[in-house]
Amino acid sequence: GAVVSQHPSRVICKSGTSVKIECRSLDFQATTMFWYRQFPKQSLMLMATSNEGSKATYEQGVEKDKFLINHASLTLSTLTVTSAHPEDSSFYICSANPGTATEAFFGQGTRLTVV
Amino acid sequence: KQEVTQIPAALSVPEGENLVLNCSFTDSAIYNLQWFRQDPGKGLTSLLLIQSSQREQTSGRLNASLDKSSGRSTLYIAASQPGDSATYLCAAPPASNTGKLIFGQGTTLQVKP
């Protein structure tokens, strides 16, 4: 299957700092990627849709100024958590589809801990 | 609006048992449904994808079915093994089918040796 790589897998940062998470499609191009968040013992919730060459689309309740998304190429989307606070501590995971109506492939996820 | 529900939230079975995980969805105009496995602290591994035109898909000891009319999908695991212990998630796209997925809450499976 297709490969989506996410980096870093784990990050600890101080409150007030920013953290960037990368999501790459290794063997296919993706004009659209998706960012999800998963709190402990909960399921995945979609945060935003990353669109190559245009603005991201955020789900209701997700602060676009806090979670900056950049999709500068067909194989890379980045999520920057700005001015992170302890409540932003979560598991962030991205996905991409090699085409429409096909399987979604997920990255390994990033465990963010804000102290 | 598509909503996805999984029951039970947790399941514990002895090794070797056959088991069924359930997933229900509210919008029967479904494009596809995907089953994933998630190990603790890890990302998602795609297990099976069922297109709307299909009734079932099989991969090894796994068999997933799709019944659009009743809004249900099941994941059947044959001859369960301790290595099958994980959380199993089902997900379906919303009506717009933009590639994003709506996830169920997951079923955490424990297979005891």
Side-chain angles (χ1 to χ4, degrees):
Chain A
V3 179
V4 175
S5 178
Q6 192 172 336
H7 178 81
S9 59
R10 199 178 285 267
V11 59
I12 300 173
C13 71
K14 292 184 177 181
S15 185
T17 62
S18 296
V19 173
K20 180 184 285 187
I21 303 170
E22 293 187 347
C23 179
R24 294 181 184 272
S25 55
L26 298 187
D27 49 2
F28 65 96
Q29 294 182 333
T31 56
T32 304
M33 293 184 177
F34 303 94
W35 288 96
Y36 296 81
R37 179 168 52 184
Q38 185 180 36
F39 289 108
K41 299 192 183 300
Q42 295 186 26
S43 193
L44 280 75
M45 295 296 292
L46 180 69
M47 297 176 64
T49 301
S50 175
N51 302 299
E52 188 268 334
S54 64
K55 292 182 179 180
T57 305
Y58 292 83
E59 296 298 304
Q60 192 172 9
V62 177
E63 300 175 60
K64 62 180 182 180
D65 294 330
K66 181 167 189 62
F67 299 100
L68 301 180
I69 291 173
N70 183 275
H71 195 148
S73 78
L74 288 171
T75 59
L76 174 64
S77 174
T78 61
L79 169 68
T80 300
V81 183
T82 63
S83 187
H85 289 95
E87 57 264 31
D88 298 323
S89 298
S90 187
F91 188 68
Y92 294 86
I93 190 166
C94 66
S95 77
N97 297 45
T100 59
T102 59
E103 278 184 271
F105 291 91
F106 283 77
Q108 306 93 321
T110 298
R111 172 74 59 192
L112 171 63
T113 303
V114 184
V115 298
Chain B
K1 179 183 177 184
Q2 183 71 277
E3 294 181 5
V4 180
T5 305
Q6 289 183 253
I7 295 174
L11 184 62
S12 181
V13 301
E15 181 177 4
E17 191 163 298
N18 302 325
L19 59 100
V20 175
L21 306 180
N22 297 297
C23 173
S24 60
F25 48 91
T26 55
D27 188 350
S28 60
I30 195 170
Y31 284 90
N32 57 53
L33 187 138
Q34 199 164 351
W35 282 92
F36 296 90
R37 169 184 173 140
Q38 185 177 32
D39 292 287
K42 304 294 184 182
L44 274 66
T45 300
S46 178
L47 297 174
L48 289 164
L49 169 72
I50 311 177
Q51 300 290 357
S52 62
S53 58
Q54 299 173 321
R55 295 295 299 268
E56 64 178 62
Q57 280 280 13
T58 298
S59 176
R61 294 182 293 109
L62 305 180
N63 176 279
S65 68
L66 177 64
D67 184 342
K68 292 192 296 180
S69 61
S70 66
R72 293 181 181 179
S73 175
T74 62
L75 179 67
Y76 174 83
I77 302 177
S80 59
Q81 303 171 358
D84 295 330
S85 299
T87 296
Y88 291 81
L89 295 158
C90 68
S96 56
N97 190 35
T98 55
K100 59 186 177 184
L101 293 174
I102 309 298
F103 280 85
Q105 304 91 327
T107 295
T108 299
L109 172 65
Q110 182 183 32
V111 181
K112 298 180 178 179

